[in-house]
Amino acid sequence: MGYLGGFLVSLRQIGRKQRVTTQYPKEKAPKPVRVHGRHVLNRYEDGMEKCIGCELCAGVCPARCIYVRGADNPVDDPVSPGERYGFVYEINYLRCIHCDLCVEACPTEAITESKMFEFSFTSRSDAIYTKAELVVDDEGMPRKLPWEDWRPGEDLHTSAWMRATAPAGDARFEGVVGWSGELGYGLRAPEAAQDVKDAITTPDEFVDEHGHDADPHGPVGHDGLSHDETDPHTQGHGGH
Amino acid sequence: MFGGDPLLSGQVDLAVVLIVLLKVVLVFAFLLVATMLMIWFERKVVGDLQNRIGPNTAGPFGLFQTFADGVKFFFKEDLLPDRAERRVFILAPLLTVVPAFLLFCIVPFGGDFSNGANGTVEIFGHETFLQLANPPIGILFALAMSSIAVYGVMLAGWSSGSKYPLLGSVRASAQMVSYEAALGLSVCAVVLTTGTLDTHQIVAAQAGDGWGSFIPNWNLLVAGIVPFIVFLLASQAELNRPPFDLVEAEQELVGGYHTEYSSIRFALFFVAEFMNSVTMAAIIVTLFLGGPAGPAPIGPGWLWGVFWFFLKVIAFLFLFVWIRGTVPRVRYDQLMDLGWKVLIPLSLGWLLVLATFHVARDQHWNGLVVVPIAAAIALTFFGLLRFAMATAKANRLEGVVE
């Protein structure tokens, strides 16, 4: 057909029902498991808050959108296990870039991200989420604010990528649980292992037959030790 | 000034004025509605061609999407840039919109042309054409109006006081001026064939049956297919439609000459652009496909004329959208090459060949002699042109390429 072949190609598309459009406000496309949404502040299974007010999240935040003020736990009615807790915790969503560095920095997995990015507040004060909005409710579910568009089931995914990677990035610990239980969920299962090796970034000689990192002098810190024994979170949580 | 229309040849009384006013309102309303529907049609069809859905929320099948957009434009803030040349900036969109409206005046959009009828209708006892005005200069008026529209684009870019609009408008004026030539030359071929500038008579000349009894006497066939194709391509460039939308080239120029425009002023440009698409389709239909001429098997003939006219226009609008959905944007040098080195020589050569045949027919020369000689001369000039272009290119590349 030469020059005019293209016209047939486009004409044939008419009436062909192969559109992939999702009618967004009516239905939502499924979100990838590691989407970064708005944060939640998690609690332990007994209802204690995980946040210890260490301010590491605020320190690492490149957008400087997190404000934390820690305080000593009241002796008779502690908010979190241990000495300190997050007395004030605020995230300004006009500034947050959802980079998840706060999630990586958090030593107690207190702050994780849900997959909720569909929120449109209409005032600046609504944009600043405080503990009242961020801390999960008594079922361990994120609080649903009026300007947020939650659909059934969406609140179940609050921390997937945390459980997706092996501790310290070492593939030998893949599938080994290295995190504490959560209110409403208990000890969450690790994400399914990645069975296809990343052929682009990992040279062949460093990969064993299972597609795992086979480097004997690999990342330091975990060699020869059982992960469960060394992880501070699984043990520390019962100590309050 | 309104020559040819039997309505204005006699005594001009109140009824005549009212009929003219009625036609004005009719054409004005038609253009606005047609533009609205054209925008919807374009978005819907191009969505279909690209496996998308297109507007589907406002009204049934998204029909009121354009209306909603228009309302939104009205309520947006009207910005006037600090560096803008205020008066020109305000004037420019009007310079684009007014010619777009005026262009349609000369298009016959109905009337009975079947069985030798002269295309008039009777309203309130007055014979008249179904066309707003029928000036003797006819199709020249269309060329004049589309040239004025270039000023709107040019002044808009210049008066914005910003560099991307200026680049866009420089491109626009260069492109539109270049393609105006090819456009005019292919119109010349039609004028030569029908022997008149008058759009009503151009349609009337195409009304009868051509060879056999079923092939229409359209200029598309009578003037040869070449002027039609040249006109179609040049009109796309003249309309700044893809694949010749370098003027707007969103990826490079942020929208071209109307970058600094917002609110209703931007809407005017937008409306003018789509209105010109409709009008250009109507002019193509008038010039090459016999406008409202067509068979009238049953019922009033003028209604059939309107029907044939709209059928043809819609077919061309679909073609426009189809071209847009298929062909990627050309490069600027390709655009200029196509205009100056292909379309203009082609339409000029075809005009000369047509003129030769007309003279030969009038002088009763032997066709068997005329055709080979014409072909030989045409081929010689084509060869010379190619040679000149190759030489120019060789000279240009000398010293650049080893």
Side-chain angles (χ1 to χ4, degrees):
Chain A
M1 273 306 285
Y3 288 115
L4 299 178
F7 282 90
L8 279 182
V9 172
S10 56
L11 189 66
R12 277 197 219 105
Q13 309 306 317
I14 288 191
R16 218 186 246 194
K17 295 293 171 207
Q18 54 178 20
R19 292 158 179 164
V20 291
T21 313
T22 308
Q23 294 290 337
Y24 171 62
K26 288 188 205 145
E27 51 182 284
K28 284 186 184 180
K31 289 169 186 161
V33 284
R34 296 179 192 185
V35 158
H36 296 179
R38 85 134 163 98
H39 302 84
V40 288
L41 284 175
N42 295 306
R43 295 157 76 180
Y44 289 112
E45 286 166 88
D46 55 7
M48 289 281 200
E49 284 178 17
K50 288 189 174 182
C51 180
I52 54 172
C54 68
E55 298 185 27
L56 280 177
C57 46
V60 80
C61 181
R64 297 208 174 170
C65 67
I66 306 182
Y67 173 71
V68 185
R69 179 144 40 106
D72 285 343
N73 263 318
V75 184
D76 47 346
D77 185 20
V79 180
S80 73
E83 246 179 74
R84 307 259 294 170
Y85 75 107
F87 175 58
V88 177
Y89 201 106
E90 289 178 1
I91 299 180
N92 183 349
Y93 279 102
L94 291 172
R95 306 191 64 165
C96 179
I97 59 171
H98 296 279
C99 64
D100 260 21
L101 284 179
C102 49
V103 180
E104 289 191 47
C106 185
T108 60
E109 295 120 29
I111 185 166
T112 56
E113 288 210 331
S114 67
K115 307 212 180 322
M116 233 297 299
F117 55 80
E118 295 134 312
F119 48 140
S120 59
F121 26 75
T122 48
S123 80
R124 281 169 182 266
S125 56
D126 285 347
I128 298 171
Y129 280 41
T130 61
K131 273 184 78 173
E133 285 97 28
L134 288 170
V135 177
V136 294
D137 64 15
D138 291 340
E139 272 73 49
M141 296 299 176
R143 307 206 185 250
K144 294 162 187 168
L145 300 165
W147 54 84
E148 294 178 343
D149 182 19
W150 292 95
R151 303 288 166 90
E154 283 187 328
D155 47 0
L156 295 174
H157 311 285
T158 48
S159 58
W161 79 262
M162 275 286 293
R163 292 171 286 119
T165 45
D170 192 334
R172 273 167 293 180
F173 292 96
E174 195 173 81
V176 179
V177 173
W179 44 86
S180 52
E182 274 171 41
L183 180 65
Y185 297 94
L187 199 63
R188 291 214 205 190
E191 200 183 65
Q194 232 178 327
D195 47 343
V196 181
K197 72 177 162 89
D198 193 340
I200 298 166
T201 54
T202 315
D204 274 343
E205 61 261 37
F206 297 125
V207 177
D208 65 15
E209 66 272 18
H210 306 297
H212 291 167
D213 186 357
D215 182 9
H217 311 294
V220 288
H222 292 286
D223 280 11
L225 292 172
S226 158
H227 184 67
D228 285 354
E229 289 167 14
T230 53
D231 192 272
H233 309 142
T234 44
Q235 296 181 333
H237 140 229
H240 58 269
Chain B
M1 177 181 181
F2 299 99
D5 195 337
L7 179 69
L8 297 152
S9 53
Q11 187 70 35
V12 176
D13 54 13
L14 184 67
V16 172
V17 174
L18 283 180
I19 289 172
V20 171
L21 277 180
L22 181 76
K23 284 203 284 188
V24 168
V25 171
L26 206 70
V27 167
F28 187 76
F30 160 75
L31 262 182
L32 281 181
V33 173
T35 307
M36 215 175 103
L37 290 179
M38 171 60 191
I39 296 174
W40 169 81
F41 177 77
E42 168 137 21
R43 292 176 67 176
K44 211 63 182 169
V45 171
V46 94
D48 251 1
L49 292 169
Q50 297 171 346
N51 279 319
R52 294 183 288 107
I53 291 177
N56 66 344
T57 310
F61 309 107
L63 261 170
F64 299 138
Q65 184 65 46
T66 319
F67 184 69
D69 287 344
V71 170
K72 191 190 79 172
F73 274 130
F74 265 107
F75 287 106
K76 289 214 137 190
E77 186 186 357
D78 189 13
L79 286 172
L80 232 150
D82 268 353
R83 293 200 198 169
E85 195 76 27
R86 291 180 60 94
R87 264 168 293 182
V88 182
F89 189 82
I90 293 167
L91 182 72
L94 299 176
L95 264 181
T96 320
V97 153
V98 172
F101 271 111
L102 291 181
L103 252 178
F104 201 81
C105 295
I106 56 150
V107 175
F109 55 87
D112 186 5
F113 289 91
S114 60
N115 304 322
N118 65 348
T120 54
V121 291
E122 201 177 297
I123 312 175
F124 308 137
H126 289 273
E127 293 262 303
T128 183
F129 293 154
L130 272 185
Q131 110 187 53
L132 188 50
N134 188 32
I137 53 164
I139 198 67
L140 286 186
F141 180 77
L143 290 178
M145 283 303 123
S146 71
S147 314
I148 288 181
V150 183
Y151 280 100
V153 169
M154 205 172 78
L155 292 176
W158 173 76
S159 67
S160 292
S162 166
K163 41 186 169 309
Y164 288 117
L166 186 63
L167 280 174
S169 70
V170 166
R171 282 186 182 189
S173 29
Q175 172 180 339
M176 289 167 110
V177 167
S178 316
Y179 277 83
E180 198 105 312
L183 207 66
L185 283 171
S186 50
V187 169
C188 278
V190 171
V191 171
L192 194 69
T193 313
T194 52
T196 175
L197 289 165
D198 188 318
T199 45
H200 184 264
Q201 284 176 33
I202 288 176
V203 171
Q206 301 175 70
D209 282 332
W211 306 298
S213 58
F214 58 94
I215 296 174
N217 198 21
W218 292 346
N219 280 334
L220 169 66
L221 303 169
V222 177
I225 194 103
V226 172
F228 169 71
I229 290 175
V230 170
F231 193 91
L232 187 66
L233 288 176
S235 70
Q236 295 306 293
E238 193 71 13
L239 291 169
N240 298 324
R241 283 180 62 86
F244 304 111
D245 61 337
L246 290 103
V247 176
E248 280 153 63
E250 293 90 349
Q251 294 86 344
E252 305 150 32
L253 292 177
V254 217
Y257 59 90
H258 54 55
T259 303
E260 300 292 343
Y261 280 85
S262 56
S263 179
I264 196 66
R265 287 196 231 286
F266 171 75
L268 287 183
F269 278 122
F270 198 73
V271 162
E273 201 177 311
F274 281 89
M275 198 178 284
N276 279 331
S277 299
V278 176
T279 315
M280 202 51 104
I283 287 177
I284 291 179
V285 165
T286 306
L287 288 181
F288 294 100
L289 279 94
I298 188 169
W302 66 270
L303 205 61
W304 278 99
V306 174
F307 170 74
W308 289 123
F309 175 75
F310 282 108
L311 191 71
K312 291 167 188 173
V313 167
I314 289 171
F316 268 95
L317 290 178
F318 179 79
L319 181 66
F320 288 1
V321 179
W322 191 11
I323 291 173
R324 175 193 165 162
T326 305
V327 190
R329 185 183 304 136
V330 297
R331 245 176 15 231
Y332 193 68
D333 61 318
Q334 291 171 331
L335 174 91
M336 284 297 155
D337 275 3
L338 181 68
W340 288 102
K341 296 182 187 169
V342 179
L343 293 188
I344 290 179
L346 193 64
S347 50
L348 192 58
W350 194 263
L351 182 68
L352 293 178
V353 169
L354 265 184
T356 311
F357 287 162
H358 275 269
V359 172
R361 199 185 53 198
D362 292 349
Q363 304 285 333
H364 304 294
W365 290 345
N366 189 352
L368 290 177
V369 182
V370 172
V371 172
I373 291 179
I377 293 175
L379 279 177
T380 312
F381 276 98
F382 178 71
L384 278 175
L385 184 70
R386 291 299 297 268
F387 177 69
M389 268 154 43
T391 314
K393 189 173 184 183
N395 287 341
R396 201 164 64 239
L397 293 180
E398 202 176 348
V400 180
V401 180
E402 298 292 306

